Amino acid sequence: MSRPAAPLALVTGATGYIGGRLVPELLRAGFRVRTMARHPDRLAGRPWHGEVEAVAADAQDPEQVRRSLDGVDVAYYLIHSLGSGPTFEARDRRTARTFATAAREAGVGRVVYLGGLHPDAERLSPHLDSRREVGEILLSSGVPTTVLQAAVIIGSGSASFEMMRYLTERLPVMVAPKWFDNRIQPIAVRDVLRYLVGSATMPPEVSRPFDIGGPDVLTYRQMMQRYARVAGLPPRVIRAVPVLTPRLASLWVGLVTPVPGGLARPLVESLIHEVVAKEDDIRGFVPDPPDGLIGFDRAVELALQRVREFDVTTTFSSASFTDAPSDPLPEDPDWSGGSLYVDDRETVVDADPATLWSVIEGIGGARGWYSWQLGWVARGVMDKVFGGPGLRRGRRHPDRLAVGDALDWWRVEKVEEGRTLRLRAEMRLPGLAWLELVADADGGRTVFRQRAIYHPHGLLGQAYWWAVAPFYGVVFGGMQRNITRAAEERARARV
């Protein structure tokens, strides 16, 4: 006898923050997964892409949505138009009605929607009011519906978390609205995903909203201070004033952080409300894990972990994929994941890759850094003054490097023999820095790729980058030219 097919889950918004993290969780839970997106090709680079059925559909087209829902057991509605302009409420309303009607006609077993936690107030911010209205539209569809209502979601890539991250890291002293002392119940993204997956199997007679939140109830001020402590920053100085309106506050957020103004404003406006769970009935259907819900401090640690164990990429948002929901994913916005500055250079070298590699692997120590010698010496002296290693450590072997070796003020983090050398800075810096040197064979050519990467720590880290950035052309440009020249001279000498 053949085994019954696993239930089919449709995930809308799979290119978004929650959707992209939900798909692998559903696959691990044994679901078949279909994704619905206007541009499904944007998911082609994901490791799970070959395990799902990807359909192209416009969420406002009734017929396309109806076809996408054919045969679906549970449909995840993760669509909202936040940040898309002043008419986002009307667009959200129209799209939700289209989806609700199509789900009923397709005989979908359950709809699961992630909305916003909100108080019982007559006047809500436009953002929260729209999320509330969408939940009501789906609940009235005739399809059993679970509406999960969450406040601030803690995880790299979450717009609310990123706004808090940038404000805390860039402003050691700040003037804040008085509603910075309103209470909020944040929740870790891992717990949100656990609730989403668990909601798929609720009994058919259950159709209602559920408040979801983590174990901590904090003010925004407290969240910033605790973020600072976890991130190793000094306590922030925050002074509340009664005259900073949501509009002015959103303009200020847009000025200080890379979060787009159209997204910052509705998020800031929502902070005027206290958002604390009024019930915890969800535990009757999705029990807490054995270790309990993830607290705020641990959720921040998980969100920052990817920075501390950084696999060097062009930006955090394009970091290599992992299964950790708190990590950045490729489809996250470019402004998410914290600040990252890159000096990227490449040159075609008239030498074979092995010769270029021999120069790269021999860098540092007595041979120096193929660059502005006076600048390197001065930086080394400054590092020693502030308690760093300076340039005196040299290297263990004159020609060979291994992972873990000290190399002047660097530490060898990765050696891909014949191709890649990655160094992590151990000099005294207000941030984290890497230097990556690559000897690449590209279509019969030898290409020398060089990348300096810097992740600032707090406002001092930002100031440091902008103070030294004008010298990077001399330091790293000179290094690029001189390593290239040395490799070409070594190649000619061998002929």
Side-chain angles (χ1 to χ4, degrees):
M1 180 181 295
S2 61
R3 297 175 59 184
L8 176 61
L10 176 77
V11 178
T12 64
T15 57
Y17 173 64
I18 292 294
R21 289 159 170 80
L22 176 62
V23 170
E25 298 297 319
L26 288 169
L27 290 171
R28 273 191 285 268
F31 287 85
R32 292 177 295 138
V33 177
R34 177 185 296 164
T35 60
M36 185 189 96
R38 278 184 297 175
H39 304 287
D41 55 298
R42 294 178 181 174
L43 299 172
R46 300 302 300 277
W48 45 256
H49 182 258
E51 302 178 54
V52 306
E53 177 191 355
V55 298
D58 185 334
Q60 298 190 60
D61 185 310
E63 184 53 35
Q64 290 182 8
V65 175
R66 172 63 181 78
R67 287 198 300 268
S68 299
L69 288 164
D70 187 43
V72 166
D73 297 290
V74 55
Y76 287 90
Y77 189 80
L78 304 173
I79 300 171
H80 62 94
S81 306
L82 181 64
S84 62
T87 61
F88 76 88
E89 301 103 313
R91 187 179 294 108
D92 275 349
R93 184 182 306 117
R94 185 168 58 251
T95 305
R97 286 172 177 165
T98 297
F99 192 87
T101 300
R104 182 177 63 251
E105 293 175 350
V108 171
R110 176 167 296 276
V111 171
V112 180
Y113 169 59
L114 179 60
L117 188 60
H118 58 83
D120 295 326
E122 292 185 5
R123 295 190 61 183
L124 296 172
S125 71
H127 165 50
L128 285 182
D129 195 47
S130 179
R131 303 302 287 270
R132 176 196 57 76
E133 184 182 19
V134 167
E136 291 176 350
I137 290 171
L138 296 174
L139 285 166
S140 64
S141 65
V143 177
T145 298
T146 302
V147 175
L148 301 177
Q149 300 177 148
V152 173
I153 297 176
I154 306 298
S156 185
S158 161
S160 296
F161 175 76
E162 295 297 341
M163 187 172 75
M164 181 184 65
R165 180 210 299 262
Y166 286 116
L167 287 174
T168 307
E169 292 187 349
R170 296 186 174 185
L171 294 176
V173 179
M174 63 183 297
V175 175
K178 62 180 180 180
W179 29 266
F180 250 49
D181 291 318
N182 286 350
R183 296 183 307 150
I184 300 167
Q185 191 167 356
I187 182 170
V189 64
R190 298 181 186 217
D191 284 328
V192 173
L193 295 172
R194 189 174 53 80
Y195 284 134
L196 285 167
V197 174
S199 294
T201 55
M202 284 186 176
E205 65 271 15
V206 177
S207 186
R208 53 161 289 187
F210 293 90
D211 291 350
I212 59 173
D216 300 309
V217 176
L218 306 165
T219 66
Y220 205 86
R221 180 199 300 267
Q222 291 171 329
M223 288 198 297
M224 290 183 65
Q225 297 290 17
R226 288 173 68 161
Y227 177 98
R229 185 171 68 248
V230 173
L233 297 168
R236 308 288 92 173
V237 178
I238 304 172
R239 295 288 180 262
V241 296
V243 294
L244 198 57
T245 66
R247 182 176 183 278
L248 288 175
S250 64
L251 292 174
W252 164 67
V253 169
L255 179 66
V256 172
T257 80
V259 179
L263 187 59
R265 181 168 183 176
L267 292 176
V268 169
E269 289 175 340
S270 298
L271 294 175
I272 65 174
H273 304 293
E274 289 205 334
V275 280
V276 178
K278 297 179 288 295
E279 43 83 13
D280 60 359
D281 298 349
I282 188 70
R283 292 179 175 179
F285 301 95
V286 186
D288 289 351
D291 295 335
L293 301 176
I294 298 171
F296 178 84
D297 291 359
R298 178 57 180 157
V300 172
E301 287 176 359
L302 291 168
L304 300 183
Q305 185 170 280
R306 188 66 168 157
V307 176
R308 294 163 180 164
E309 302 173 359
F310 185 41
D311 184 11
V312 180
T313 50
T314 302
T315 64
F316 281 123
S317 61
S318 63
S320 57
F321 176 80
T322 75
D323 283 337
S326 306
D327 286 353
L329 293 187
E331 67 270 17
D332 289 347
D334 290 340
W335 45 262
S336 67
S339 299
L340 188 72
Y341 299 110
V342 180
D343 182 273
D344 211 344
R345 302 169 188 269
E346 67 175 51
T347 303
V348 176
V349 182
D350 188 14
D352 61 280
T355 301
L356 173 58
W357 173 251
S358 69
V359 177
I360 290 173
E361 194 174 19
I363 200 168
R367 293 190 182 95
W369 291 86
Y370 295 91
S371 187
W372 182 31
Q373 186 64 21
L374 179 60
W376 282 89
V377 170
R379 184 64 181 86
V381 170
M382 184 185 306
D383 192 53
K384 290 293 289 183
V385 169
F386 286 97
L391 290 172
R392 294 186 180 178
R393 293 194 304 188
R395 48 182 296 151
R396 178 185 57 83
H397 188 283
D399 300 309
R400 297 286 179 264
L401 290 173
V403 172
D405 281 359
L407 181 59
D408 293 332
W409 61 45
W410 304 91
R411 181 72 60 179
V412 178
E413 189 173 82
K414 177 181 179 181
V415 177
E416 186 180 338
E417 186 62 35
R419 186 177 185 274
T420 303
L421 172 65
R422 185 197 306 155
L423 307 172
R424 180 193 290 264
E426 292 189 337
M427 67 188 82
R428 293 291 183 177
L429 283 173
L432 302 173
W434 295 263
L435 178 64
E436 188 173 70
L437 308 174
V438 178
D440 212 357
D442 186 359
R445 307 179 306 164
T446 298
V447 179
F448 173 34
R449 295 189 167 91
Q450 174 185 295
R451 195 162 40 163
I453 302 158
Y454 177 63
H455 174 69
H457 191 208
L459 184 61
L460 183 59
Q462 297 280 341
Y464 175 84
W465 167 262
W466 293 112
V468 302
F471 300 101
Y472 276 14
V474 177
V475 175
F476 293 115
M479 179 183 290
Q480 182 86 9
R481 291 188 299 272
N482 292 333
I483 289 179
T484 298
R485 186 180 301 120
E488 291 174 342
E489 290 175 353
R490 191 171 296 185
R492 287 194 295 268
R494 292 175 176 174
V495 175

